[in-house]
Amino acid sequence: MRSPRFGLAVPAWAWLAIFFIAPIAMVVWFSFGYKPGIFGTHANDVLSLDRYAEAMSPTFFATFQNTLWVGVIGTVLCLVIGAPVAYWMAVKAPPSRRGLLIALVMVPFWTNFLVRTLGWQVILAPEGWLSSALQGIGLLDGPLDILYSRGAVLIGVVYNYLPLMILPLYVAFDRVGTPLREASKDLGASSVRTFLRVTVPLAQPGIVAGVLLVFIPLMGDYITATVLGGAQGNMVGQLVASQFGTAQNWALGSAMAVLLILIIMLTIGVAAAILWLVTLPFRRRNRLVLGEAS
């Protein structure tokens, strides 16, 4: 008896349902409840939208603006830094060395996320070695004053999430293949034109994957903001974590988490629409129309 075509996908669907859909559904359910008392975390015997009204406070929106700023700028920086590195690894580097280069990109993931972030706290500290080195060569007149700011958070998130941008870009550039680039050059295109008209369009799925892999977890990151940001680098993830941990108000924390998810989805949708509109004239100009020969 032949098994159903979707049989091989059952384990993946089960994993997705148990570890993604079910937790999200629980968070949504908790967001309709309330904190029952000083020692309680949540109750759902009375359902309402009051937690959403409570979550949409000026503090939340101010913190979200900072989160969106860090998320967008951090993702752009990862793309600007990661694209040349991934292109060099996939096109310019010798094939025998590419495995080693990929391993070097993965080295940061061999260390705990919190430990890596704490390492940057030591580096960026006013009394750290970087501050002393910059003062020693005359680039700074006083101690380095960047720790506990949005700049420090940006440095931390770019370092922590850059491999998530480089790896999909490397795969995308590698799949374009040398023959297509050589054919473009044989037809008279320069290296820059070949990159913009051949490599980038064919690597677009990898670029989109890299942007999403960086932007989505970055928007929910609270470890980097807590360790490196202080009061000036607050992010929404810290508010959510504080409600679940310190305040023990799971209902309000769940409402904040749901709002964060919705705003991330809305931001991605708006960005996709803007990108589609911006690239529409180029797609129309490059469209090939087949018709009857006159």
Side-chain angles (χ1 to χ4, degrees):
M1 180 178 178
R2 181 178 296 180
S3 60
R5 294 181 179 179
F6 60 86
L8 294 176
V10 170
W13 282 108
W15 181 277
L16 183 65
I18 295 173
F19 295 103
F20 179 74
I21 298 178
I24 293 295
M26 290 181 62
V27 169
V28 174
W29 171 249
F30 287 166
S31 69
F32 296 125
Y34 64 96
K35 181 175 174 59
I38 188 173
F39 297 109
T41 57
H42 72 282
N44 284 85
D45 53 315
V46 177
L47 303 180
S48 68
L49 297 175
D50 294 344
R51 303 292 79 74
Y52 287 94
E54 187 177 351
M56 290 187 292
S57 62
T59 301
F60 177 84
F61 280 106
T63 305
F64 175 77
Q65 289 178 358
N66 184 72
T67 303
L68 184 61
W69 186 90
V70 172
V72 172
I73 301 300
T75 303
V76 172
L77 288 176
C78 286
L79 180 60
V80 171
I81 297 172
V85 175
Y87 183 81
W88 176 78
M89 290 171 54
V91 178
K92 302 298 182 180
S96 59
R97 299 289 181 87
R98 292 174 186 173
L100 175 62
L101 294 174
I102 294 175
L104 292 177
V105 172
M106 294 294 295
V107 163
F109 285 117
W110 299 353
T111 307
N112 182 271
F113 189 95
L114 178 59
V115 173
R116 300 200 306 265
T117 309
L118 287 172
W120 274 105
Q121 187 183 53
V122 175
I123 294 173
L124 298 177
E127 65 277 5
W129 65 265
L130 180 61
S131 177
S132 301
L134 293 177
Q135 293 179 71
I137 61 179
L139 293 180
L140 288 179
D141 296 330
L144 183 65
D145 187 21
I146 192 175
L147 189 61
Y148 304 128
S149 66
R150 289 197 298 183
V153 175
L154 274 177
I155 293 174
V157 297
V158 169
Y159 173 77
N160 284 324
Y161 294 100
L162 185 59
L164 297 179
M165 180 67 74
I166 293 178
L167 293 178
L169 288 179
Y170 166 79
V171 174
F173 290 142
D174 184 60
R175 287 184 176 180
V176 173
T178 303
L180 289 175
R181 290 188 290 269
E182 291 180 347
S184 175
K185 294 179 181 179
D186 291 340
L187 293 174
S190 63
S191 299
V192 175
R193 189 175 180 84
T194 298
F195 178 77
L196 296 177
R197 300 294 295 274
V198 177
T199 304
V200 172
L202 292 178
Q204 184 177 355
I207 297 174
V208 173
V211 169
L212 293 179
L213 283 174
V214 171
F215 179 74
I216 294 176
L218 198 161
M219 287 289 289
D221 184 8
Y222 68 94
I223 294 178
T224 306
T226 302
V227 174
L228 300 177
Q232 299 182 28
N234 282 336
M235 297 178 68
V236 175
Q238 291 174 283
L239 297 180
V240 176
S242 66
Q243 293 300 326
F244 276 94
T246 305
Q248 290 291 297
N249 190 342
W250 291 13
L252 181 57
S254 297
M256 290 181 176
V258 173
L259 288 175
L260 178 61
I261 293 173
L262 294 177
I263 294 175
I264 290 175
M265 294 174 61
L266 178 61
T267 304
I268 294 175
V270 171
I274 294 175
L275 181 63
W276 185 84
L277 291 174
V278 169
T279 58
L280 182 60
F282 300 97
R283 295 198 306 272
R284 288 181 175 177
R285 185 179 60 185
N286 297 331
R287 184 177 300 169
L288 178 62
V289 179
L290 300 178
E292 296 181 358
S294 56

